[in-house]
Amino acid sequence: MDKAWIGDAQNRIREKLHKTAERSAHKVPYTTRNGVFDDWTDNISWWTNGFWGGILWQLYHATKEKLYRELAVELEEKLDRTLMDPEGMDHDSGFRWLLTSGAHFRETGNEEAYRRTLLAACNMAGRFNPAGNFIRAWNDWGNKEARGENAGIAIIDCMMNLPLLYWASEQTKDPRFYQIAARHADTVIRHFIREDGSVIHIGEFDPYTGEFLRSHGGQGCAHGSSWTRGQAWAIYGFVLSYLHTKREKYLECAERIADYFIANIPESGTIPVDFRQPAGCVWEDSTAAAIAACGMLEIAKAAGNGEESCYYQAARKLLFALYDKRCDWSPETDAIVQKCTAAYHDREHEFTIIYGDYFFIEAIWKLTGQELFLW
Ligand code: GLY
């Protein structure tokens, strides 16, 4: 396949996002309304609030333009309100702090950024339940009637946040963070991965005994279905666990889930919300394509056969489909990747979502060698 589109995608990202950044100062965006970023500053603990920071750091790394760094640091400082809010902290701390303060520390060595990232890691480690060897997902402490309802819940998304814990062990030389991350990954292997390589979204444990009780359908279309973003979090999450631990079983696991994902990619290369959604349903989730592509590119690199690898080829197919069919390159609108879906049963589908742009950019940066590796 001709590779010119990769350089073109890189240039268009740079051109478009320069304009987007200039007009989006002070925002913490999630989606767009009429092409314009919304602003979640007043709902600062939302799990996606680090991704715009991640985009800004990827752009800063590639261009060294001061604007990107300044906006990213402003967003990082806003997240301090969440660091001081136990109810706002959850299993998604990697998404929020690895891409903001973690990136800041990697790029400049800033000490305050280091402390923020380590605090987030300590909080995430505190969510570990040694009875079931899992990291608890959501809170319920703010609602007296519901307290304890989520105590036994773990979700596949958490795999993508484990690198925050690996980072903390690498920095502090304290192995506890690493041990917690690896035990959680082992639990996911045991209870979340099906025979065919697909994964469940939500697992429920008895939080006192650790017994695995049941799975739930979550953001996919039904119990027993195959929510594509969940498959993507698992692919990328397991290869990242491999990169940090060098345990072969994590790479094998990433490959198994990726093989299942690849076998289900439609001819068009665009990805549905759920691989098992009803035949007439055409809803897509471009975020799943971008995340899975990032994971597959890392598998190809780790397995050592680069561009020849079936994982590299599949990633390129997914990314080319996004570039060719799902990117809005207009300089007037703020987001790039179209047709993203948060959850199958939500009222709205197929809109822009900030992490669709983040992972698309990260994937293109991987292909062009400009990535600031943040995981
Ligand atoms: N982490 C939640 C989601 O992927 O929608």
Side-chain angles (χ1 to χ4, degrees):
M1 190 196 280
D2 168 31
K3 281 192 186 173
W5 67 273
I6 298 171
D8 186 57
Q10 171 195 287
N11 295 337
R12 286 176 178 221
I13 289 168
R14 285 188 185 208
E15 271 168 40
K16 172 161 176 147
L17 286 191
H18 193 262
K19 294 194 174 61
T20 298
E22 277 180 330
R23 62 179 172 245
S24 305
H26 319 304
K27 284 189 179 177
V28 185
Y30 170 63
T31 185
T32 47
R33 298 280 168 221
N34 301 318
V36 179
F37 272 156
D38 60 357
D39 180 13
W40 284 61
T41 300
D42 290 336
N43 192 354
I44 200 63
S45 298
W46 181 231
W47 72 276
T48 69
N49 284 349
F51 287 106
W52 176 233
I55 290 174
L56 292 166
W57 280 113
Q58 293 295 351
L59 289 166
Y60 177 73
H61 183 70
T63 64
K64 297 291 175 252
E65 276 194 54
K66 205 166 83 197
L67 169 74
Y68 298 132
R69 194 188 65 220
E70 287 172 355
L71 294 179
V73 172
E74 185 187 316
L75 187 148
E76 172 187 329
E77 288 168 358
K78 285 186 182 184
L79 288 177
D80 284 355
R81 291 206 329 259
T82 302
L83 267 183
M84 289 300 292
D85 173 12
E87 190 76 11
M89 300 295 289
D90 58 28
H91 62 284
D92 278 335
S93 288
F95 289 138
R96 288 176 288 185
W97 283 279
L98 280 178
L99 302 190
T100 56
S101 56
H104 189 185
F105 175 66
R106 276 182 209 260
E107 198 66 357
T108 71
N110 183 283
E111 283 296 318
E112 215 174 344
Y114 172 83
R115 286 193 291 274
R116 286 186 174 110
T117 319
L118 192 52
L119 265 178
C122 289
N123 183 283
M124 188 171 160
R127 305 186 71 80
F128 183 68
N129 183 328
N133 286 315
F134 66 91
I135 292 169
R136 174 181 174 157
W138 306 296
N139 301 319
D140 52 29
W141 309 322
N143 176 353
K144 260 195 188 158
E145 271 74 69
R147 248 177 229 170
E149 273 181 13
N150 289 331
I153 299 291
I155 63 174
I156 195 68
D157 322 32
C158 188
M159 283 304 303
M160 248 336 264
N161 289 279
L162 299 184
L164 176 64
L165 300 177
Y166 296 125
W167 175 90
S169 273
E170 285 152 19
Q171 292 296 322
T172 61
K173 307 290 175 238
D174 180 338
R176 289 174 304 154
F177 302 98
Y178 173 109
Q179 285 157 356
I180 287 172
R183 283 196 194 189
H184 179 86
D186 291 345
T187 299
V188 171
I189 293 182
R190 209 166 311 123
H191 296 296
F192 282 59
I193 303 174
R194 303 186 184 113
E195 222 17 63
D196 64 359
S198 68
V199 300
I200 66 166
H201 181 194
I202 300 175
E204 184 177 349
F205 298 81
D206 180 316
Y208 295 96
T209 66
E211 182 195 353
F212 181 78
L213 299 176
R214 58 187 73 84
S215 65
H216 298 272
Q219 283 160 255
C221 73
H223 184 246
S225 74
S226 173
W227 176 48
T228 54
R229 191 162 63 254
Q231 320 303 299
W233 291 140
I235 294 169
Y236 202 4
F238 270 107
V239 68
L240 290 171
S241 269
Y242 168 73
L243 293 177
H244 287 282
T245 65
K246 294 290 176 260
R247 293 185 187 180
E248 286 293 330
K249 65 177 171 181
Y250 296 151
L251 181 58
E252 283 162 19
C253 203
E255 288 175 345
R256 225 174 103 213
I257 306 162
D259 290 344
Y260 164 83
F261 195 102
I262 291 168
N264 284 281
I265 298 176
E267 195 46 46
S268 64
T270 58
I271 296 300
V273 180
D274 194 309
F275 281 132
R276 296 176 191 163
Q277 66 196 28
C281 177
V282 294
W283 292 331
E284 291 177 20
D285 181 17
S286 300
T287 73
I291 298 159
C294 285
M296 289 177 197
L297 290 175
E298 289 302 330
I299 297 176
K301 212 174 344 152
N305 47 354
E307 296 193 19
E308 299 307 311
S309 152
C310 64
Y311 303 110
Y312 183 93
Q313 308 282 341
R316 227 167 55 170
K317 176 173 173 146
L318 292 169
L319 294 169
F320 180 73
L322 290 177
Y323 163 83
D324 193 38
K325 301 182 183 127
R326 298 292 176 254
C327 284
D328 171 1
W329 298 116
S330 158
E332 314 297 330
T333 54
D334 287 341
I336 297 174
V337 178
Q338 309 293 301
K339 295 209 178 205
C340 305
T341 296
Y344 185 87
H345 290 287
D346 281 355
R347 264 210 318 252
E348 284 183 62
H349 304 88
E350 302 192 324
F351 45 96
T352 70
I353 303 185
I354 195 69
Y355 51 87
D357 279 16
Y358 177 78
F359 286 102
F360 180 67
I361 293 166
E362 191 188 283
I364 296 297
W365 268 211
K366 282 184 199 295
L367 291 175
T368 56
Q370 302 176 94
E371 183 192 11
L372 172 62
F373 189 76
L374 296 178
W375 305 105

